[in-house]
Amino acid sequence: MIKSLLHPYSLWLKRFFWLALTGTYISAVLPQDIAPTLGPLSDKWTHFLAFAVLTLLLRFAYRITIVQTVFSLFLYGVFIEVSQYFTPNRCAEILDVVADMIGIAIGVVLYMLFTKKS
């Protein structure tokens, strides 16, 4: 039901996905002292929220499987951490990838709840 409601907006969903993907990467590789924050939320919460949103946008914008979604966003999370290793005032953390995976899992569950047939 929700997929058919969102179908007319698929181009916009794709644009929002790519905008969110680009925004998260830029935010992740900016030096820590000038990187944007989400108020009092910790770094792990921002990873969690970003990847939950990316998961929902990717699932609604493109016709790919859940496995492809999880694998693609996992690789993206690892890519961010590798990039941060080479960024001044940043460090790569395995717990950030764990927070990303939790966000992906919650995004998948929310997607399944939104698209569940009555």
Side-chain angles (χ1 to χ4, degrees), residues 4 10 29 32 34 46-47 58-59 68 71 74 85 90 92-94 97 99 109:
S4 60
S10 64
V29 297
Q32 189 69 37
I34 62 171
T46 56
H47 277 265
L58 183 57
R59 291 292 295 146
Q68 290 170 321
F71 185 69
F74 168 74
Y85 179 78
R90 290 285 193 158
E93 294 182 39
I94 193 70
V97 177
V109 168

Side-chain angles (χ1 to χ4, degrees), residues 77-92:
V78 171
F79 175 70
I80 285 175
E81 295 309 309
V82 170
S83 297
Q84 284 183 343
Y85 179 78
F86 298 103
T87 303
N89 300 329
R90 290 285 193 158
C91 60

Side-chain angles (χ1 to χ4, degrees), residues 45-115:
W45 276 102
T46 56
H47 277 265
F48 164 78
L49 290 172
F51 276 79
V53 169
L54 285 171
T55 301
L56 286 170
L57 286 172
L58 183 57
R59 291 292 295 146
F60 282 119
Y62 292 95
R63 292 181 175 227
I64 64 173
T65 66
I66 289 175
V67 172
Q68 290 170 321
T69 300
V70 171
F71 185 69
S72 298
L73 290 176
F74 168 74
L75 287 179
Y76 176 63
V78 171
F79 175 70
I80 285 175
E81 295 309 309
V82 170
S83 297
Q84 284 183 343
Y85 179 78
F86 298 103
T87 303
N89 300 329
R90 290 285 193 158
C91 60
E93 294 182 39
I94 193 70
L95 287 179
D96 286 347
V97 177
V98 171
D100 298 343
M101 290 304 295
I102 293 169
I104 293 167
I106 296 300
V108 166
V109 168
L110 288 173
Y111 175 82
M112 292 169 65
L113 288 173
F114 289 147
T115 59

